Amino acid sequence: MTDLSRQADVIVVGGGLVGTAVAYGLARQKASVLVLDEGDQAFRASRGNFGLVWVQGKGYGFAPYARWTMRSARSWPQLAAELLQETGVDVQLRQPGGYAFCFTDEELEARRARLQSIRDDLGGRPADYPFEMLDTATVRERVPHIGPEVVGASYTPMDGHANPLKLLRALHAALQQRGVRVVPGSPVQQIGRTADVFTVQAGGQRWQAPRIVLAAGLGNRTLAEQVGLHAPVQPNRGQVLIGERAGHFLDFPTLNVRQTDEGTIQLGDSMEEVGFDDSTTTDVLAAIARRGVRSFPVLAGLKLVRAWGALRVMSPDGFPIYQQSAAQPGAFVTTCHSGVTLAANHALAIAPWVLGGAKPEEINPFEGSRFLDPNYHFSHAH
């Protein structure tokens, strides 16, 4: 006799930001959803990220990623409003635009060329990809407390930030309210398929559904193989410093410094190929602190309260992987390293596709099978 309590329309593997956003989107579509979460022994990118809803610079040399990122940034207000209405949790979305500071004229020119290249790929008009390059005087006028070493900046009105911990909390609260069962301590060992139904062995239990979404971060590499998919993800470490609560001094998110809704100062970040090591190192943290103080000398006396390292989920070219299995239809993989920025897309565009809706056209180039093509070459990551 089948245990109906262990069945669902969709099983989502992974309870981080990617998995819960997809699960929330599925529940919005009235699907019955089961989330299997490995637990706190997992490498949780969801709890170690910078909280940016960031567009500028993304998709350099790969226009579909720029379009996908812009779509999510535009959809974010809808996601934030729905979560607030359903759960009472304000995820503190603010989208006033964002700055990336440059310390040399060469850096400023490289930044301009990068953003212009993305604009050209998207149609060439300012409206297609709005940005401004700001000289020293304009940056000083717009951004109080900026340091004397900053020679200029790029600015786009598309950028913003949110509180990632409140986002994760809001998504979990919304899942609970919508009757989604989240099962912690359930690392998936095996996935099988018989008569169009997937059977998942996890945490000593068996679960069944006709559809399954792999949103297990770095765990997707091995899980994808079990359903005929290819997700060659690798860890990439980022380190972050958190300063004490300070008086309000920064109205905009920037690429390396932001003031959270609670007043704390976040300094980041790094890109390090160190395997599955999520520890912190003094040399990298010192470099992060120096860059923060160069941007805002007022931070020089800031007391640091904690630091952490977290592992991004990176594909070989830095872009996401979204694919339904041809060998085992109904099995999907979703992998990215921008779980905050892309959360709105995962809830509002990926989830309907999983349930049989139209595939978002922006994601056609993001199949994991691209890495099996010997003619596929990539030169611009992230």
Side-chain angles (χ1 to χ4, degrees):
M1 183 172 165
T2 304
D3 184 350
L4 295 178
S5 69
R6 301 190 191 284
Q7 294 185 332
D9 295 329
V10 190
I11 292 172
V12 176
V13 181
L17 282 175
V18 175
T20 54
V22 173
Y24 173 66
L26 294 167
R28 282 177 80 254
Q29 303 277 307
K30 311 302 183 189
S32 68
V33 186
L34 174 72
V35 177
L36 300 177
D37 189 32
E38 181 175 359
D40 284 339
Q41 70 270 31
F43 288 101
R44 287 204 182 277
S46 297
R47 295 180 182 172
N49 65 68
F50 208 58
L52 295 176
V53 179
W54 199 258
V55 176
Q56 72 166 287
K58 291 187 175 181
Y60 176 51
F62 203 42
Y65 189 51
R67 290 192 191 95
W68 185 236
T69 304
M70 292 169 71
R71 174 174 175 167
S72 197
R74 287 193 297 265
S75 300
W76 242 102
Q78 178 186 346
L79 176 64
E82 286 190 16
L83 289 173
L84 178 61
Q85 183 176 0
E86 288 190 35
T87 69
V89 178
D90 184 349
V91 300
Q92 296 294 321
L93 174 68
R94 303 289 183 270
Q95 291 176 294
Y99 292 88
F101 302 125
C102 299
F103 296 98
T104 67
D105 290 335
E106 292 76 18
E107 200 180 332
L108 193 64
E109 173 53 28
R111 188 78 187 163
R112 185 206 63 76
R114 182 185 183 98
L115 298 186
Q116 184 62 49
S117 172
I118 298 171
R119 176 185 284 176
D120 291 344
D121 286 346
L122 293 175
R125 298 168 303 178
D128 295 323
Y129 190 80
F131 72 89
E132 295 176 75
M133 298 305 301
L134 310 176
D135 59 20
T136 310
T138 308
V139 175
R140 301 219 180 308
E141 185 181 308
R142 291 199 194 177
V143 186
H145 310 296
I146 198 72
E149 293 186 63
V150 174
V151 302
S154 60
Y155 167 83
T156 94
M158 302 178 284
D159 298 316
H161 56 160
N163 185 314
L165 296 180
K166 290 179 179 176
L167 172 60
L168 191 60
R169 192 174 101 211
L171 287 168
H172 274 276
L175 295 183
Q176 187 174 15
Q177 288 188 18
R178 287 181 174 270
V180 173
R181 186 170 178 189
V182 179
V183 187
S186 298
V188 171
Q189 285 94 29
Q190 192 172 1
I191 305 169
R193 184 170 181 261
T194 308
D196 298 334
V197 174
F198 293 95
T199 299
V200 180
Q201 307 273 2
Q205 309 284 343
R206 292 172 75 247
W207 312 89
Q208 290 188 318
R211 296 172 191 265
I212 184 170
V213 178
L214 303 180
L218 293 166
N220 278 348
R221 186 183 184 97
T222 54
L223 293 175
E225 295 172 358
Q226 298 189 37
V227 292
L229 288 164
H230 187 56
V233 289
Q234 296 280 7
N236 179 281
R237 184 171 69 191
Q239 297 185 49
V240 175
L241 278 168
I242 302 296
E244 63 187 337
R245 284 181 174 81
H248 181 78
F249 86 102
L250 189 56
D251 289 317
F252 301 87
T254 78
L255 203 47
N256 303 113
V257 179
R258 80 179 191 97
Q259 187 165 29
T260 71
D261 57 290
E262 296 165 338
T264 56
I265 310 299
Q266 243 179 302
L267 305 168
D269 59 350
S270 60
M271 301 277 286
E272 305 165 76
E273 303 286 349
V274 292
F276 286 88
D277 178 2
D278 65 353
S279 61
T280 57
T281 58
T282 52
D283 59 332
V284 171
L285 292 174
I288 288 171
R290 277 195 301 272
R291 184 169 56 193
V293 172
R294 288 178 77 193
S295 300
F296 296 101
V298 69
L299 298 178
L302 186 72
K303 289 189 177 68
L304 299 174
V305 294
R306 65 185 185 277
W308 67 66
L311 300 181
R312 298 180 186 87
V313 182
M314 294 291 280
S315 69
D317 60 6
F319 299 117
I321 299 172
Y322 303 106
Q323 190 168 357
Q324 180 175 194
S325 174
Q328 299 189 34
F332 296 79
V333 64
T334 60
T335 283
C336 76
H337 73 270
S338 294
V340 175
T341 298
L342 296 177
N345 278 353
H346 294 154
L348 305 175
I350 293 295
W353 169 50
V354 168
L355 291 174
K359 183 181 182 182
E361 63 180 69
E362 297 98 328
I363 69 171
N364 285 324
F366 296 132
E367 295 194 344
S369 53
R370 68 188 185 267
F371 301 114
L372 299 172
D373 181 355
N375 297 316
Y376 178 69
H377 298 289
F378 50 88
S379 56
H380 305 301
H382 178 27

